[in-house]
Structures are given as structure tokens and as C-alpha cells.
Amino acid sequence: MQNILIASENYTELDDYFVRSGAKTVLLVCGGSIKLLRLNGYFNTLEERTGIRVVRFCDFQPNPLYESAVKGVKVFRRNNCDLVAAVGGGSAMDIAKCIKLYSNMDDSENYLKQKIIPNGVPLLAVPTTAGTGSEATRYAVIYFNGEKQSVSDNSCIPSTVLFDPTTLTTLPVYQKKATMMDAFCHAIESFWSVNSTDESKAYSKEAIGLIIANKEKYIANDDEGNTNMLKAANIAGKAINITQTTAGHAMCYKLTSLYGIAHGHAAALCIVKLLPYMIKNADKCIDSRGSDHLKTVLDEIAEAMGGKTPQQAAKKLEAIVSELGLQAPAVKSSDDISLLKNSVNPIRLKNYPVALEADAIEGIYREILNA
């Protein structure tokens, strides 16, 4: 069970956590943006208050490299660190997870080729966006020789998470909207996934309810809204940790890179079209539990979103994306649709409960881009 802490003004709960952990030296994995946060001052004075030394590791970038994880392990070992704390978004979480996983492995061989042996190094996560839910999942993504590498092990799920609403106040409004929609898409995709369970659906339902109830307060930077959105992203992450993502995420990555829009923005554009497609094509169900099960799931999604029918839920989702101003980008080239269609990871499509052939994928992209 993951331990959840809610930040107080003086972070006394963090002091208690670090002291109880018995740690002597903390490796703080963070980006440069931590300097904008109140939390930065906390870590600057941790040793003075508690005697616990803080070693910072910031030598990584968005879409972090394997080499950065290797550097992080060296810093961890050289300073005899005994706890890892990650403050940031998905990249900081990914690097911190890898440092924890690799900290007791053989540094003479590529870590990616070795069997992961779980260790007892505590990992604290402080997410600074309410979206990825990375602090709740067993996944980390790093790049080696230009290729995306998915690292996965239950032992890299942070044992403790701190929700600090003040970490969200400096985010640009567009980034807040996009990350919220990333969490929303996680919840919806997990709900309909062929891998869904009663547990994952309960997480999805709770996350959807929290997002809908708190989106206005969150956008307005209200502390309660920010805290509840952090909770929603975490809960949606727990759902995705069980089911993995589906067609929405499989189809959104190229939209992000091709048009320079945020990941959550691209995912939302996909989900808005994939939900009505599923409703219309429930008879093409590939979930082993059958089309009746899928129709029940669609009804459950509608209920979670406050609608009476799946069609109403689809309209509500479309309205939310529109109200947030997350519009579709303009097509740049006649080759765009072909590039997008060919970019889709077929493995993730298998988690979507309705068959998606190449023509259907092309049609959905055309709808997304009004092409």
C-alpha cells in the first residue's frame, strides 16, 4: 500500500518521514524548475534541521537517456545515499525509478540487459504535475541509442508520495489543462481496456469523478482543487498500472511530435473520437468477455461522467475538451495522415476493446484533424 502524505505549510510530515526512514543521505532527483518551488527551500535546509544530507542530481533531460540513469547511479553510490526522492514530472520520476532499480546491479554490464533484483531503497515521489500518474506505476521510460526502452518492475513504484498543491501554482495554464486531460484519458482508457478488473474500474471511476468535480478549482489554482487533481492523477495511474494504456495513447504520440502539442492535449483529441467509435462499433468487440460486457462498461463510464447514456458521456467529454480550448492542430502536409497511421503501436491497440483496422485508424485521424 502506497503511503500518501499531504503537504503542510512547513512540511513537518516530510521531516517526520525522513527521520523515521533512518536515512543519512538523500539523493534528490529534480530538474531546474525546483528552484521555483517552495519545496526547494525545504531541501536546502533539511540537513540543518535533521542532520540528513541532501545530494542533488539534475543531469537529465525530457525523454531521459539511459546514460543519465547510469550517471545517477554513480552519484548515488559515490555519496553512500540510502534514499531516493524525486521531485518533478514524468522524466524525474523515470530517472529516479531507474536509479533505485539499478542501485544494486552490476555496473560492468548494461543495466537494461540484466535481470532486475528488487531492493529496499526507499523511493519518495513528489509529482509537480497532476497528469502522468508516474508516481503510482511500475513503468519507467528511458532512451538508449535513440530507441525508447520501457523498464518495468513493481519494486520501482514509490513507497511514499507527497501531494503538495503549491507545486502546481507555477505551471502555465495550458500545461495544467493538458496534464489534467492526460490523467482523464488514463482513467477512461483503463476503464474500457481489455485488461480491466473490478479494482482498476473502481480506480477509474474515482479518478473521473475527482477530475470532473475539481477541474474549475484546479484551473483557478485553488489549493483544494490542486490537491484533489494530484489525487485524481495518482488514482488514474493506479488504474493504468493494472491495465496499461490503449489506443488513445498509441495514437497520440505522433500527434505530439508532429504538431508540437502537449501529450495530454494529443491524448484528449484521440479519446474524444475513440469513445464514439467504440459506441458505434461495439459489435466488433475483441474483449474476450464479449460485447455485452463492453456495453456494460460503456454504461459504467457514462455513469461515472454523470451521463445517462454512453452517447451523453461522449458529448460531455467533447464539451470538456472544447471548453478547455484544446483544439485540433491544422494539417501541415498531405503526408500527415499517412505518417500518423503508420506510427501507431499495434501492441497497444490490442488493449482497446474494439477492432481497429488501418482504414479505421486513418478515418479517426481524419476526424481528429478535420481532414
Short mmCIF file of all heavy atoms in Angstrom, two decimals, residues 252-296:
data_model
loop_
_atom_site.label_atom_id
_atom_site.label_comp_id
_atom_site.label_asym_id
_atom_site.label_seq_id
_atom_site.Cartn_x
_atom_site.Cartn_y
_atom_site.Cartn_z
N CYS A 252 -1.64 8.88 -29.94
CA CYS A 252 -1.38 10.29 -29.62
C CYS A 252 0.09 10.69 -29.74
O CYS A 252 0.39 11.88 -29.87
CB CYS A 252 -1.90 10.63 -28.22
SG CYS A 252 -0.81 10.14 -26.86
N TYR A 253 1.01 9.75 -29.67
CA TYR A 253 2.42 10.11 -29.60
C TYR A 253 2.90 10.87 -30.83
O TYR A 253 3.61 11.87 -30.72
CB TYR A 253 3.28 8.86 -29.38
CG TYR A 253 3.10 8.27 -28.00
CD1 TYR A 253 2.47 7.05 -27.82
CD2 TYR A 253 3.54 8.96 -26.88
CE1 TYR A 253 2.28 6.52 -26.55
CE2 TYR A 253 3.35 8.44 -25.60
CZ TYR A 253 2.72 7.22 -25.45
OH TYR A 253 2.54 6.71 -24.19
N LYS A 254 2.52 10.42 -32.02
CA LYS A 254 2.96 11.11 -33.23
C LYS A 254 2.28 12.47 -33.36
O LYS A 254 2.89 13.41 -33.90
CB LYS A 254 2.67 10.25 -34.46
CG LYS A 254 3.37 10.73 -35.74
CD LYS A 254 4.88 10.65 -35.61
CE LYS A 254 5.58 11.03 -36.89
NZ LYS A 254 7.06 10.96 -36.76
N LEU A 255 1.05 12.59 -32.89
CA LEU A 255 0.40 13.90 -32.89
C LEU A 255 1.22 14.91 -32.07
O LEU A 255 1.39 16.07 -32.46
CB LEU A 255 -1.01 13.81 -32.29
CG LEU A 255 -2.14 13.28 -33.17
CD1 LEU A 255 -3.39 13.05 -32.34
CD2 LEU A 255 -2.44 14.26 -34.30
N THR A 256 1.74 14.42 -30.94
CA THR A 256 2.55 15.28 -30.07
C THR A 256 3.81 15.75 -30.78
O THR A 256 4.11 16.95 -30.79
CB THR A 256 2.93 14.51 -28.78
OG1 THR A 256 1.75 14.15 -28.08
CG2 THR A 256 3.81 15.36 -27.88
N SER A 257 4.55 14.83 -31.38
CA SER A 257 5.82 15.20 -32.01
C SER A 257 5.63 15.94 -33.33
O SER A 257 6.39 16.85 -33.66
CB SER A 257 6.68 13.95 -32.24
OG SER A 257 6.04 13.03 -33.10
N LEU A 258 4.59 15.60 -34.08
CA LEU A 258 4.38 16.19 -35.40
C LEU A 258 3.90 17.63 -35.31
O LEU A 258 4.30 18.48 -36.12
CB LEU A 258 3.37 15.34 -36.19
CG LEU A 258 3.20 15.65 -37.68
CD1 LEU A 258 4.52 15.47 -38.42
CD2 LEU A 258 2.13 14.74 -38.27
N TYR A 259 3.06 17.91 -34.30
CA TYR A 259 2.45 19.24 -34.22
C TYR A 259 2.91 20.05 -33.01
O TYR A 259 2.47 21.19 -32.83
CB TYR A 259 0.93 19.11 -34.20
CG TYR A 259 0.38 18.54 -35.49
CD1 TYR A 259 -0.11 17.24 -35.54
CD2 TYR A 259 0.37 19.29 -36.66
CE1 TYR A 259 -0.61 16.71 -36.72
CE2 TYR A 259 -0.12 18.77 -37.84
CZ TYR A 259 -0.61 17.47 -37.88
OH TYR A 259 -1.09 16.95 -39.04
N GLY A 260 3.78 19.47 -32.18
CA GLY A 260 4.31 20.23 -31.06
C GLY A 260 3.29 20.57 -29.99
O GLY A 260 3.41 21.59 -29.30
N ILE A 261 2.28 19.72 -29.84
CA ILE A 261 1.29 19.94 -28.78
C ILE A 261 1.62 19.02 -27.61
O ILE A 261 2.36 18.05 -27.75
CB ILE A 261 -0.16 19.68 -29.27
CG1 ILE A 261 -0.32 18.24 -29.78
CG2 ILE A 261 -0.53 20.67 -30.37
CD1 ILE A 261 -1.75 17.89 -30.21
N ALA A 262 1.09 19.36 -26.44
CA ALA A 262 1.38 18.58 -25.24
C ALA A 262 0.77 17.18 -25.34
O ALA A 262 -0.25 16.97 -26.01
CB ALA A 262 0.83 19.30 -24.01
N HIS A 263 1.40 16.25 -24.64
CA HIS A 263 0.96 14.85 -24.67
C HIS A 263 -0.50 14.70 -24.28
O HIS A 263 -1.28 14.02 -24.95
CB HIS A 263 1.85 14.03 -23.74
CG HIS A 263 1.35 12.66 -23.46
ND1 HIS A 263 1.38 11.64 -24.38
CD2 HIS A 263 0.79 12.13 -22.33
CE1 HIS A 263 0.86 10.54 -23.86
NE2 HIS A 263 0.50 10.80 -22.61
N GLY A 264 -0.90 15.33 -23.17
CA GLY A 264 -2.28 15.22 -22.71
C GLY A 264 -3.28 15.82 -23.67
O GLY A 264 -4.41 15.33 -23.81
N HIS A 265 -2.89 16.89 -24.34
CA HIS A 265 -3.72 17.51 -25.38
C HIS A 265 -3.95 16.52 -26.51
O HIS A 265 -5.10 16.30 -26.94
CB HIS A 265 -2.99 18.77 -25.88
CG HIS A 265 -3.72 19.55 -26.92
ND1 HIS A 265 -3.25 20.76 -27.41
CD2 HIS A 265 -4.87 19.32 -27.60
CE1 HIS A 265 -4.08 21.23 -28.33
NE2 HIS A 265 -5.09 20.36 -28.46
N ALA A 266 -2.88 15.89 -26.98
CA ALA A 266 -2.99 14.92 -28.08
C ALA A 266 -3.82 13.72 -27.67
O ALA A 266 -4.67 13.23 -28.44
CB ALA A 266 -1.60 14.47 -28.51
N ALA A 267 -3.62 13.24 -26.45
CA ALA A 267 -4.39 12.08 -25.97
C ALA A 267 -5.88 12.41 -25.92
O ALA A 267 -6.73 11.59 -26.30
CB ALA A 267 -3.89 11.65 -24.59
N ALA A 268 -6.20 13.62 -25.47
CA ALA A 268 -7.61 14.03 -25.38
C ALA A 268 -8.26 14.07 -26.76
O ALA A 268 -9.41 13.64 -26.92
CB ALA A 268 -7.71 15.39 -24.70
N LEU A 269 -7.54 14.59 -27.74
CA LEU A 269 -8.08 14.64 -29.10
C LEU A 269 -8.40 13.24 -29.62
O LEU A 269 -9.40 13.04 -30.33
CB LEU A 269 -7.09 15.33 -30.04
CG LEU A 269 -6.81 16.82 -29.78
CD1 LEU A 269 -5.72 17.33 -30.73
CD2 LEU A 269 -8.08 17.65 -29.93
N CYS A 270 -7.57 12.28 -29.25
CA CYS A 270 -7.80 10.89 -29.68
C CYS A 270 -8.99 10.27 -28.95
O CYS A 270 -9.86 9.64 -29.57
CB CYS A 270 -6.55 10.05 -29.44
SG CYS A 270 -5.13 10.51 -30.47
N ILE A 271 -9.03 10.44 -27.64
CA ILE A 271 -10.09 9.82 -26.84
C ILE A 271 -11.47 10.34 -27.24
O ILE A 271 -12.46 9.60 -27.27
CB ILE A 271 -9.83 10.07 -25.34
CG1 ILE A 271 -8.59 9.33 -24.88
CG2 ILE A 271 -11.03 9.63 -24.49
CD1 ILE A 271 -8.70 7.83 -24.92
N VAL A 272 -11.54 11.64 -27.57
CA VAL A 272 -12.81 12.25 -27.98
C VAL A 272 -13.40 11.53 -29.19
O VAL A 272 -14.63 11.43 -29.33
CB VAL A 272 -12.61 13.75 -28.26
CG1 VAL A 272 -13.74 14.31 -29.11
CG2 VAL A 272 -12.51 14.52 -26.96
N LYS A 273 -12.56 11.01 -30.07
CA LYS A 273 -13.04 10.30 -31.25
C LYS A 273 -13.15 8.79 -31.02
O LYS A 273 -14.00 8.13 -31.63
CB LYS A 273 -12.12 10.57 -32.44
CG LYS A 273 -11.99 12.05 -32.81
CD LYS A 273 -13.34 12.68 -33.14
CE LYS A 273 -13.19 14.14 -33.50
NZ LYS A 273 -14.51 14.80 -33.75
N LEU A 274 -12.31 8.26 -30.16
CA LEU A 274 -12.32 6.81 -29.93
C LEU A 274 -13.53 6.34 -29.13
O LEU A 274 -14.01 5.22 -29.33
CB LEU A 274 -11.03 6.38 -29.21
CG LEU A 274 -9.78 6.34 -30.09
CD1 LEU A 274 -8.52 6.27 -29.23
CD2 LEU A 274 -9.83 5.15 -31.05
N LEU A 275 -14.03 7.19 -28.22
CA LEU A 275 -15.20 6.77 -27.44
C LEU A 275 -16.44 6.61 -28.32
O LEU A 275 -17.09 5.56 -28.29
CB LEU A 275 -15.45 7.76 -26.29
CG LEU A 275 -16.67 7.46 -25.41
CD1 LEU A 275 -16.63 6.04 -24.85
CD2 LEU A 275 -16.77 8.49 -24.27
N PRO A 276 -16.81 7.60 -29.15
CA PRO A 276 -17.98 7.38 -30.02
C PRO A 276 -17.76 6.26 -31.04
O PRO A 276 -18.72 5.56 -31.39
CB PRO A 276 -18.18 8.74 -30.71
CG PRO A 276 -16.93 9.51 -30.49
CD PRO A 276 -16.32 8.99 -29.22
N TYR A 277 -16.50 6.07 -31.49
CA TYR A 277 -16.23 4.96 -32.41
C TYR A 277 -16.54 3.64 -31.72
O TYR A 277 -17.14 2.74 -32.32
CB TYR A 277 -14.77 4.99 -32.87
CG TYR A 277 -14.44 3.87 -33.83
CD1 TYR A 277 -14.67 4.01 -35.19
CD2 TYR A 277 -13.93 2.65 -33.36
CE1 TYR A 277 -14.38 2.97 -36.07
CE2 TYR A 277 -13.64 1.61 -34.23
CZ TYR A 277 -13.88 1.77 -35.58
OH TYR A 277 -13.62 0.73 -36.46
N MET A 278 -16.14 3.53 -30.47
CA MET A 278 -16.40 2.30 -29.71
C MET A 278 -17.90 2.07 -29.53
O MET A 278 -18.39 0.94 -29.67
CB MET A 278 -15.71 2.39 -28.35
CG MET A 278 -15.80 1.10 -27.53
SD MET A 278 -15.13 1.34 -25.87
CE MET A 278 -13.48 1.91 -26.24
N ILE A 279 -18.61 3.14 -29.23
CA ILE A 279 -20.06 3.01 -29.03
C ILE A 279 -20.74 2.50 -30.30
O ILE A 279 -21.60 1.62 -30.25
CB ILE A 279 -20.65 4.39 -28.61
CG1 ILE A 279 -20.11 4.79 -27.23
CG2 ILE A 279 -22.17 4.34 -28.60
CD1 ILE A 279 -20.37 6.24 -26.87
N LYS A 280 -20.33 3.04 -31.45
CA LYS A 280 -20.94 2.65 -32.72
C LYS A 280 -20.52 1.26 -33.17
O LYS A 280 -21.23 0.61 -33.95
CB LYS A 280 -20.54 3.66 -33.81
CG LYS A 280 -21.13 5.04 -33.63
CD LYS A 280 -20.61 5.98 -34.71
CE LYS A 280 -21.10 7.40 -34.49
NZ LYS A 280 -20.52 8.34 -35.50
N ASN A 281 -19.38 0.79 -32.70
CA ASN A 281 -18.83 -0.49 -33.21
C ASN A 281 -18.66 -1.53 -32.10
O ASN A 281 -17.77 -2.37 -32.17
CB ASN A 281 -17.49 -0.22 -33.88
CG ASN A 281 -17.61 0.61 -35.14
OD1 ASN A 281 -17.93 0.09 -36.21
ND2 ASN A 281 -17.37 1.91 -35.01
N ALA A 282 -19.54 -1.48 -31.11
CA ALA A 282 -19.45 -2.44 -30.00
C ALA A 282 -19.58 -3.88 -30.48
O ALA A 282 -19.08 -4.81 -29.83
CB ALA A 282 -20.53 -2.13 -28.96
N ASP A 283 -20.22 -4.07 -31.64
CA ASP A 283 -20.37 -5.43 -32.17
C ASP A 283 -19.04 -5.99 -32.69
O ASP A 283 -18.92 -7.18 -32.94
CB ASP A 283 -21.40 -5.44 -33.30
CG ASP A 283 -21.05 -4.50 -34.44
OD1 ASP A 283 -20.55 -3.39 -34.15
OD2 ASP A 283 -21.27 -4.86 -35.61
N LYS A 284 -18.03 -5.12 -32.84
CA LYS A 284 -16.69 -5.56 -33.26
C LYS A 284 -15.79 -5.82 -32.06
O LYS A 284 -14.56 -5.80 -32.17
CB LYS A 284 -16.05 -4.52 -34.17
CG LYS A 284 -16.80 -4.28 -35.47
CD LYS A 284 -16.11 -3.21 -36.30
CE LYS A 284 -16.88 -2.94 -37.59
NZ LYS A 284 -16.23 -1.85 -38.38
N CYS A 285 -16.40 -6.09 -30.94
CA CYS A 285 -15.67 -6.27 -29.68
C CYS A 285 -14.65 -7.40 -29.78
O CYS A 285 -14.95 -8.49 -30.28
CB CYS A 285 -16.66 -6.57 -28.56
SG CYS A 285 -15.91 -6.89 -26.96
N ILE A 286 -13.42 -7.12 -29.30
CA ILE A 286 -12.38 -8.15 -29.27
C ILE A 286 -12.02 -8.53 -27.83
O ILE A 286 -11.14 -9.36 -27.60
CB ILE A 286 -11.10 -7.71 -30.02
CG1 ILE A 286 -10.53 -6.42 -29.42
CG2 ILE A 286 -11.40 -7.54 -31.51
CD1 ILE A 286 -9.18 -6.04 -30.00
N ASP A 287 -12.70 -7.92 -26.87
CA ASP A 287 -12.51 -8.29 -25.47
C ASP A 287 -13.09 -9.69 -25.28
O ASP A 287 -14.23 -9.97 -25.70
CB ASP A 287 -13.24 -7.29 -24.57
CG ASP A 287 -12.90 -7.45 -23.09
OD1 ASP A 287 -12.80 -8.60 -22.63
OD2 ASP A 287 -12.75 -6.43 -22.39
N SER A 288 -12.33 -10.58 -24.67
CA SER A 288 -12.77 -11.97 -24.50
C SER A 288 -14.04 -12.08 -23.67
O SER A 288 -14.74 -13.11 -23.72
CB SER A 288 -11.65 -12.80 -23.86
OG SER A 288 -11.34 -12.30 -22.57
N ARG A 289 -14.38 -11.02 -22.95
CA ARG A 289 -15.58 -11.04 -22.12
C ARG A 289 -16.84 -10.72 -22.91
O ARG A 289 -17.95 -10.83 -22.38
CB ARG A 289 -15.41 -10.06 -20.95
CG ARG A 289 -14.34 -10.52 -19.97
CD ARG A 289 -13.94 -9.45 -18.97
NE ARG A 289 -13.18 -8.36 -19.59
CZ ARG A 289 -12.55 -7.41 -18.92
NH1 ARG A 289 -12.59 -7.41 -17.59
NH2 ARG A 289 -11.89 -6.46 -19.56
N GLY A 290 -16.68 -10.34 -24.18
CA GLY A 290 -17.81 -10.21 -25.08
C GLY A 290 -18.41 -8.80 -25.16
O GLY A 290 -18.12 -7.92 -24.36
N SER A 291 -19.27 -8.62 -26.18
CA SER A 291 -19.86 -7.31 -26.46
C SER A 291 -20.83 -6.86 -25.36
O SER A 291 -20.95 -5.66 -25.11
CB SER A 291 -20.56 -7.32 -27.81
OG SER A 291 -21.57 -8.32 -27.84
N ASP A 292 -21.50 -7.80 -24.71
CA ASP A 292 -22.40 -7.41 -23.62
C ASP A 292 -21.61 -6.80 -22.46
O ASP A 292 -22.05 -5.82 -21.84
CB ASP A 292 -23.20 -8.63 -23.12
CG ASP A 292 -24.29 -9.05 -24.08
OD1 ASP A 292 -24.63 -8.23 -24.97
OD2 ASP A 292 -24.79 -10.18 -23.96
N HIS A 293 -20.44 -7.38 -22.19
CA HIS A 293 -19.57 -6.81 -21.16
C HIS A 293 -19.16 -5.40 -21.56
O HIS A 293 -19.19 -4.48 -20.72
CB HIS A 293 -18.32 -7.68 -20.98
CG HIS A 293 -17.24 -7.01 -20.19
ND1 HIS A 293 -17.24 -6.97 -18.82
CD2 HIS A 293 -16.12 -6.33 -20.60
CE1 HIS A 293 -16.18 -6.29 -18.40
NE2 HIS A 293 -15.48 -5.90 -19.46
N LEU A 294 -18.77 -5.21 -22.82
CA LEU A 294 -18.34 -3.90 -23.29
C LEU A 294 -19.47 -2.87 -23.15
O LEU A 294 -19.24 -1.73 -22.72
CB LEU A 294 -17.88 -3.98 -24.74
CG LEU A 294 -17.47 -2.65 -25.39
CD1 LEU A 294 -16.39 -1.95 -24.59
CD2 LEU A 294 -17.02 -2.87 -26.83
N LYS A 295 -20.68 -3.27 -23.50
CA LYS A 295 -21.82 -2.35 -23.38
C LYS A 295 -22.05 -1.96 -21.92
O LYS A 295 -22.40 -0.81 -21.62
CB LYS A 295 -23.07 -2.98 -23.99
CG LYS A 295 -22.98 -3.09 -25.51
CD LYS A 295 -24.15 -3.89 -26.09
CE LYS A 295 -23.98 -4.05 -27.60
NZ LYS A 295 -25.06 -4.89 -28.20
N THR A 296 -21.85 -2.91 -21.02
CA THR A 296 -21.97 -2.61 -19.59
C THR A 296 -20.89 -1.62 -19.16
O THR A 296 -21.17 -0.67 -18.41
CB THR A 296 -21.85 -3.90 -18.76
OG1 THR A 296 -22.91 -4.79 -19.11
CG2 THR A 296 -21.91 -3.59 -17.27
#
